[in-house]
Structures are given as C-alpha cells and as structure tokens.
C-alpha cells in the first residue's frame, strides 16, 4: 500500500524506490532553480510549488514514469516540439524513468507556468472590483 499523509517533499521523495528518488531529486532541484522563491508544499499528496498561494507546478513519481502537472493547451503549444517524445494528456506530462531528466525542458515549463500564474494574478488585481 502506498503511504499517504506526507508532511514534506523530502518525506514524499524518501517514500519512493531508490532509483526513482534520484530522478525526483533532480526534478525538484530543476524546478527550484527555475522558479526560485516559490513555496514548496505537499498538495493532493504530491510535491507542489506555489507562488503567492497559487499552484505553479506539481510533480509525482510512478512505477514507470514521473509526471508534471498541470499542463494546458498554451503550455503544450509553446513546447510542442520538445514535448513530442513524451506522453501528454488531460493536464499531465509523463516522462519515462528510464530516460535522463530533460532539465532544460522542465526549467522552461516551470518558468512558463510561473509566468502564467503571475499574469493571472496581475489581471485579477487590475480587474474592477464587483460590489
């Protein structure tokens, strides 16, 4: 049975098989480097990176792959060529554990998502307040 109720990303990663742990540590460091200053939390029982309380990116380890969430049509279009070798559907990007971590791609995705979250916050702040 899979453990749940993780209190930290360290605890989440430690619960994975050793070979998966190394991959997830690389994914984690890549995201942290790409979007410094994000808050690292556990949400939906997986590692999550938040900016101003809003989720930017989640990741999770599985038996044969690890995933990044959320993806959307804009993100997929922006990284169309780079994402071509990977499985992308329903807001999820899956990367095989058997291949090297695509650091540059994950950095780009993290920055793209951070920019989307920042733009959404800016638009929300500029919108007239309803009474």
């Amino acid at each position: 049975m899979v453990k749940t109720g993780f209190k930290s990303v360290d605890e989440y990663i430690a619960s994975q098989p050793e070979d998966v742990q190394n991959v997830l540590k690389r994914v984690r460091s890549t995201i942290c480097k790409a979007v410094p200053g994000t808050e690292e939390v556990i949400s939906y029982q997986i590692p999550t990176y938040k900016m101003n309380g809003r989720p930017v990116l989640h990741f999770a380890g599985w038996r044969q792959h690890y995933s990044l969430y959320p993806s959307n049509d804009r993100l997929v279009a922006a990284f169309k060529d780079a994402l071509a070798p990977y499985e992308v559907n329903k807001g999820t990007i899956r990367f095989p554990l058997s291949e090297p971590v695509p650091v540059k791609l994950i950095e780009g995705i993290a920055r793209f998502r951070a920019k989307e979250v920042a733009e959404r916050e800016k638009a929300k702040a500029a919108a007239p307040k309803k009474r």
Side-chain angles (χ1 to χ4, degrees), residues 11 19 24 33 43 56 58 68 87 97 107-108 122:
E11 191 177 318
D19 56 332
L24 296 182
K33 180 181 167 190
S43 182
V56 173
H58 311 266
L68 292 181
E87 186 181 342
L97 286 166
E107 283 176 348
K122 191 175 178 181

Side-chain angles (χ1 to χ4, degrees), residues 57 66-89 91-96 99 102-110 112-113:
L57 204 57
Y66 58 97
S67 298
L68 292 181
Y69 318 87
S71 76
N72 57 41
D73 292 340
R74 285 180 52 198
L75 185 146
V76 172
F79 294 94
K80 183 181 178 187
D81 293 340
L83 288 173
Y86 305 107
E87 186 181 342
V88 178
N89 61 28
T92 303
I93 304 167
R94 291 181 182 86
F95 299 93
E99 294 179 14
V103 171
K104 294 291 182 201
L105 175 58
I106 293 173
E107 283 176 348
I109 289 169
F112 185 92
R113 286 286 304 135

Side-chain angles (χ1 to χ4, degrees), residues 8-28:
S8 69
V9 174
D10 286 328
E11 191 177 318
Y12 176 88
I13 291 173
S15 75
Q16 303 291 318
E18 195 170 327
D19 56 332
V20 178
Q21 287 181 32
N22 293 329
V23 171
L24 296 182
K25 286 176 186 175
R26 187 82 193 268
V27 171
R28 177 191 199 180

